[in-house]
Amino acid sequence: MSEMRKKHLTQLRANQLDPLKDKTGSASSSLVGTLRFLAVSEYVLQSSKNTFTGNLTESAELQTKLFSRFEAGESISPSYVSMMSYKALLNALASGNEECAKNLASKMGGRSDIEKEYDRPFDIAFGYALKLITLADLASAAQWVDALELACKDAENTDFMGYTKVLRAILNSSLSDANTGLVEVVAGHKRQSSGKGLFKDTEDELLCVWGVAVTNLARMRGLNVNAIEPLIPSDLLY
C-alpha cells in the first residue's frame, strides 16, 4: 500500500497545482491525506523521522493555504475550513514544527455557521482547545477544555478523555498530571485500534500520532513529559 501511494504522489502534486482540478480544494485535500499516510507508514516501516516530520509539515501547510484561499474568496469547499481542521493541527504539532502549528492555528475558528453544519461538539471543543493552547492563549482555552471534557463523557468519545487530561495539565502547568493523561491517551488509542475503533485498519494503529502531537504541545508549553514507547516514541518529541 505504501509503495502504491508513493507512486501516486507525483500525480497528486500535479493535480494540486492545477487550478481547475483544485478549484474547490479537493486535490489539496487528497494530497494532505496521502502525505500523512506516507509520513506515518514510512516511520512505522523504516523509522524515517525525516519523512514523518517533512510530510506532516507539508500537509499542514497545504491545509493552511486552503484557509487563506477561502479567505481570499476562492471556491474552496467550506468543509475544508471547518473545525475538523483540528486533525491537520494535530499533524503540525506531531511534526514538531511550532511555527507551522501556530500559522495553522491562527487561521482556524470563527466560522460558526460552518462549524454548526460540519462539526460535532467534540470536534469544536478539541479544535478550539488545541488552537488556543498552540497560540499560548491559555486563559481562553480553559472553557474549551471544559467543553471537551463534557463531550468525552459521551459513550462514543470516552476513549479520548486522556487528551482532555493532558490539555488541562498544560493549563495547570502540572507535569505529573500530563504524564498520567498520556497513559490514558495510549490506553484509549489501543482500544480505538481494535474492533470498530477510529484507528482500526489505519496507519495509526502502530503509532499514536495524536498522542505525539499533544506530547509535543505540552513540551512547547514547558512540560517535559515522557515518551511512551512505541506508540509515542522519544525520537518524535519536540
Side-chain angles (χ1 to χ4, degrees):
M1 178 65 78
S2 181
E3 290 302 315
M4 184 174 68
R5 297 286 284 268
K6 278 195 282 188
K7 290 179 180 178
H8 194 40
L9 191 58
T10 299
Q11 184 60 55
L12 289 177
R13 291 190 189 281
N15 291 346
Q16 189 269 324
L17 293 173
D18 186 323
L20 289 178
K21 291 182 178 179
D22 200 36
K23 183 178 180 180
T24 66
S26 59
S28 287
S29 182
S30 294
L31 181 55
V32 164
T34 294
L35 285 168
R36 186 190 190 279
F37 174 85
L38 292 173
V40 180
S41 61
E42 291 293 291
Y43 181 81
V44 169
L45 295 173
Q46 301 181 21
S47 299
S48 179
K49 179 180 178 178
N50 288 339
T51 300
F52 182 84
T53 57
N55 279 14
L56 288 188
T57 294
E58 183 180 355
S59 70
E61 288 174 342
L62 281 169
Q63 185 66 47
T64 304
K65 288 179 182 177
L66 285 175
F67 276 101
S68 296
R69 292 171 61 192
F70 181 86
E71 292 169 352
E74 293 189 38
S75 303
I76 301 301
S77 170
S79 64
Y80 298 139
V81 296
S82 77
M83 197 47 82
M84 289 301 294
S85 54
Y86 79 88
K87 295 181 178 180
L89 181 53
L90 287 167
N91 292 340
L93 292 167
S95 79
N97 190 326
E98 186 172 5
E99 180 181 0
C100 174
K102 285 181 175 179
N103 287 341
L104 176 54
S106 69
K107 297 286 189 181
M108 294 167 56
R111 300 174 180 85
S112 58
D113 290 344
I114 292 175
E115 290 164 14
K116 287 177 183 177
E117 182 174 357
Y118 291 98
D119 305 329
R120 301 174 302 152
F122 173 88
D123 305 319
I124 295 171
F126 204 0
Y128 277 103
L130 287 169
K131 165 190 169 73
L132 292 164
I133 294 174
T134 298
L135 297 176
D137 187 354
L138 304 189
S140 298
Q143 64 174 311
W144 293 108
V145 175
D146 289 343
L148 180 61
E149 181 176 1
L150 182 62
C152 285
K153 291 179 180 179
D154 290 344
E156 63 180 332
N157 301 323
T158 54
D159 284 338
F160 302 99
M161 185 64 84
Y163 292 97
T164 299
K165 296 188 177 182
V166 175
L167 297 181
R168 193 176 299 285
I170 295 172
L171 299 185
N172 296 333
S173 299
S174 174
L175 178 60
S176 61
D177 287 349
N179 280 320
T180 299
L182 282 177
V183 171
E184 290 195 32
V185 164
V186 167
H189 183 86
K190 290 178 179 178
R191 290 190 293 271
Q192 285 292 315
S193 296
S194 63
K196 297 181 179 180
L198 179 65
F199 304 119
K200 175 65 175 174
D201 295 328
T202 74
E203 66 271 23
D204 291 67
E205 279 193 20
L206 299 178
L207 185 68
C208 184
V209 180
W210 291 14
V212 172
V214 295
T215 301
N216 281 341
L217 181 57
R219 289 187 166 210
M220 289 171 189
R221 295 292 154 259
L223 297 180
N224 191 29
V225 289
N226 299 326
I228 303 179
E229 305 285 352
L231 288 173
I232 303 178
S234 59
D235 66 330
L236 295 182
L237 300 187
Y238 181 82

